Amino acid sequence: MDESLAESDRSLLRRIIYGETPTQQDKGVIRKLTRKEILTQEGNAFQVPLVQKYIEQLLEEE
């Protein structure tokens, strides 16, 4: 899965994990990650808690 995450995806997911609110510039990335069923429509939460845990581990390993 990590190969399918662009740097912009990772950046946004990292900010969401740290509790930041997505900006207008994030709209395109949010749409893409919503289609992949990673984020909710609002773009400020993960659809599946297990996916959030996986992404957190992935980002920690970088």
Side-chain angles (χ1 to χ4, degrees):
M1 177 166 148
D2 59 352
E3 298 86 29
S4 67
L5 289 175
E7 189 53 44
S8 58
D9 301 352
R10 290 171 187 252
S11 172
L12 174 62
L13 293 172
R14 187 177 290 115
R15 288 185 284 132
I16 289 171
I17 287 168
Y18 291 130
E20 295 181 29
T21 303
T23 65
Q24 278 300 116
Q25 288 81 11
D26 296 322
K27 291 284 187 224
V29 177
I30 290 170
R31 269 198 303 278
K32 180 170 70 169
L33 294 175
T34 300
R35 279 196 307 272
K36 289 184 178 185
E37 299 185 343
I38 294 175
L39 295 179
T40 60
Q41 288 287 332
E42 296 75 38
N44 57 0
F46 286 81
Q47 282 193 20
V48 181
L50 194 59
V51 172
Q52 180 172 351
K53 289 245 178 285
Y54 173 76
I55 299 288
E56 287 172 352
Q57 285 182 323
L58 194 69
L59 294 174
E60 281 177 15
E61 292 169 6
E62 289 184 339

